[in-house]
Amino acid sequence: MGQSTNNSPASTNILEKWFHLSEQGTTIKRELLAGLTTFVSMAYILFVNPSVLGIAGMNKGAVFTATALSAIIGCLLMAFLANYPIAIAPGLGDNAFFTYSVVLAMGISWQTAMAGVFVASVIFTILSLMKVREAVINAIPHDLKLAIAAGIGLFIAFVGLQGGGLVVASKSSLVQLGSLTVPTTWLTIFGVLAIALLMAKRVPGAIFIGMILTTLLGLVTGLIKMPAHIISLAPSMKPTFGVALTNLGKVNTPQMWAVVLIFLLVAFFDTAGTLVGLAQQAGLMKNDRMPRIGQALMADSISMLTGSVMGTTPTAAYVESSAGIAVGGRTGLTALTVGVLFAFSLLFSPLLTVVTTQVTAPALIIVGSLMASSLAGIDWLHFEIAFPAFMVVAGMPLTYNISYGIAFGFIIYPLTMTVAGRRKEINWIMWTLLFVFILMLYVLNVLPS
């Protein structure tokens, strides 16, 4: 019990009571270091999220504050409800779907889309309370879960390549290499190389450090303008706060219900897979099951719900939590530390002006590559599994729409499995989802909006 002698007995006893540090074989110092490591690894979302949602027309300052506050709420809930060293913040896949698939591709206003996020959050929370979420997640084939993660990764990377100027539109071939005579494109190239080399060197917080280096290069070369000041009070959330609630009436259309369904499904798979993977890494699994998964899913659900009211897209458990786990994080004290650091970060909103598309693009590309690593776990040797998985992965970037990729795979999978003589392996939920996605494609592409 004497692992934390350099802390006051009172504080040690309180933290021990809350987080069971000695039971998990950890110390206060180790947990704080793990929290700092995780925060530095995922702090990029403070600037990437406003950048992505800003393209949808949302106020970047308000989104910055909403991002930080939803992360604080998620991390505190994860710390005290579930006692896991796992951080929560708005997810990259969800904000990409919100901006590029819903607002830009479908022509739905961000206000209405945010109302859709709120509805999905309410359903999400109810399903978590009823433990339906675990049942549906268990019914989805492992290979399709992996394909969704990889497909979102390729989509995010494509968005980064495009935003950074490395890939541009072409009349003859749809896409082509961007011009290397554009100075800002070289800023993106520098950022990608900087982060990639730091990642290869196993430097904690490589993505965040790479973004800082890219920003500094931009400031030195004059490609990025110097901000007027560095520290200020957090921007007001007035432009986004409560917008989801005031636009609820606009959700009552077939097109918007299809959007709600996709928000629900993406959020369904995103956090669950990440939670189990991180718990496995931390050695917290018992009998191949994750203890307190219900509490962990509830922490995610509540932060998603509050985030939608404040004005940000769904939250998710962050794979970057693995960086903190790798340095010894084992309890909710790690998540609590991340939450406290997000609170401090609210003072640095002026830095949003220097975090340009060329600064965030490398982060999207690198995170995309990390998500694509799940391709390794897909059973490519059996065509009845490989082809639906491939359609999920290829469908997302090539249709520029996450929902279409998911739909392609979920419609094809039951059919190929049946023909291959493996119909008994298909859960009734998968057959239900087949018809749900056919209906969704009909609503989004045939019915007038």
Side-chain angles (χ1 to χ4, degrees), residues 177-414:
L177 181 68
S179 173
L180 297 180
T181 61
V182 179
T184 52
T185 301
W186 282 101
L187 203 56
T188 301
I189 294 171
F190 171 82
V192 171
L193 289 174
I195 296 174
L197 295 177
L198 288 168
M199 293 282 289
K201 190 70 176 173
R202 305 287 194 275
V203 175
I207 294 174
F208 187 59
I209 296 169
M211 288 177 69
I212 293 173
L213 293 175
T214 307
T215 302
L216 291 175
L217 179 62
L219 292 170
V220 169
T221 56
L223 295 173
I224 297 174
K225 293 182 180 179
M226 186 72 72
H229 45 280
I230 304 296
I231 297 176
S232 77
L233 293 175
S236 169
M237 288 193 296
K238 189 176 179 181
T240 60
F241 189 86
V243 169
L245 300 177
T246 56
N247 285 269
L248 279 175
K250 299 177 182 176
V251 177
N252 197 20
T253 66
Q255 187 184 42
M256 274 308 300
W257 279 110
V259 169
V260 168
L261 173 67
I262 291 299
F263 274 128
L264 199 56
L265 289 171
V266 171
F268 240 81
F269 310 135
D270 195 355
T271 292
T274 304
L275 282 175
V276 172
L278 292 171
Q280 194 83 45
Q281 179 196 355
L284 301 173
M285 298 288 281
K286 292 181 180 178
N287 300 319
D288 203 33
R289 288 186 176 272
M290 184 177 177
R292 306 182 304 284
I293 189 169
Q295 291 93 319
L297 292 173
M298 187 52 63
D300 179 43
S301 300
I302 296 172
S303 60
M304 178 178 170
L305 186 61
T306 54
S308 66
V309 175
M310 291 187 289
T312 185
T313 43
T315 53
Y318 261 63
V319 291
E320 285 80 2
S321 302
S322 61
I325 291 171
V327 297
R330 291 295 179 272
T331 74
L333 183 55
T334 294
L336 174 61
T337 304
V338 176
V340 171
L341 291 171
F342 267 112
F344 280 117
S345 71
L346 282 166
L347 299 172
F348 297 95
S349 62
L351 294 177
L352 279 170
T353 59
V354 302
V355 184
T356 63
T357 305
Q358 288 72 36
V359 174
T360 56
L364 292 173
I365 295 166
I366 297 295
V367 171
S369 73
L370 295 175
M371 294 180 73
S373 65
S374 61
L375 286 168
I378 296 173
D379 181 5
W380 296 108
L381 298 178
H382 292 88
F383 185 80
E384 63 271 21
I385 293 173
F387 184 61
F390 171 77
M391 289 303 293
V392 171
V393 174
M396 291 185 190
L398 294 182
T399 63
Y400 215 68
N401 193 307
I402 293 168
S403 60
Y404 292 160
I406 295 175
F408 293 166
F410 278 59
I411 290 170
I412 294 169
Y413 181 83

Side-chain angles (χ1 to χ4, degrees), residues 380-442:
W380 296 108
L381 298 178
H382 292 88
F383 185 80
E384 63 271 21
I385 293 173
F387 184 61
F390 171 77
M391 289 303 293
V392 171
V393 174
M396 291 185 190
L398 294 182
T399 63
Y400 215 68
N401 193 307
I402 293 168
S403 60
Y404 292 160
I406 295 175
F408 293 166
F410 278 59
I411 290 170
I412 294 169
Y413 181 83
L415 303 178
T416 54
M417 287 291 284
T418 299
V419 172
R422 301 174 65 177
R423 186 173 60 84
K424 290 182 179 179
E425 297 179 37
I426 308 169
N427 192 292
W428 66 268
I429 293 175
M430 286 302 295
W431 285 111
T432 304
L433 289 175
L434 179 150
F435 293 107
V436 166
F437 279 113
I438 290 174
L439 180 63
M440 186 204 78
L441 290 174
Y442 175 76

Side-chain angles (χ1 to χ4, degrees), residues 19-81:
F19 301 115
H20 310 289
L21 302 175
S22 57
E23 184 183 323
Q24 295 298 334
T26 186
T27 64
I28 294 175
K29 181 179 178 181
R30 193 180 299 160
E31 294 291 303
L32 296 179
L33 177 62
L36 174 63
T37 304
T38 294
F39 173 77
V40 172
S41 300
M42 64 183 288
Y44 64 85
I45 195 61
L46 284 166
F47 305 105
V48 176
N49 201 40
S51 175
V52 173
L53 297 184
I55 295 170
M58 297 183 70
N59 180 282
K60 289 186 178 182
V63 173
F64 174 87
T65 304
T67 300
L69 288 177
S70 61
I72 293 166
I73 292 168
C75 289
L76 293 182
L77 288 170
M78 185 63 77
F80 293 109
L81 277 183

Side-chain angles (χ1 to χ4, degrees), residues 157-179:
F158 185 50
V159 169
L161 290 166
Q162 186 186 48
L166 286 167
V167 172
V168 296
S170 167
K171 288 184 178 179
S172 59
S173 59
L174 293 181
V175 291
Q176 64 182 26
L177 181 68
S179 173

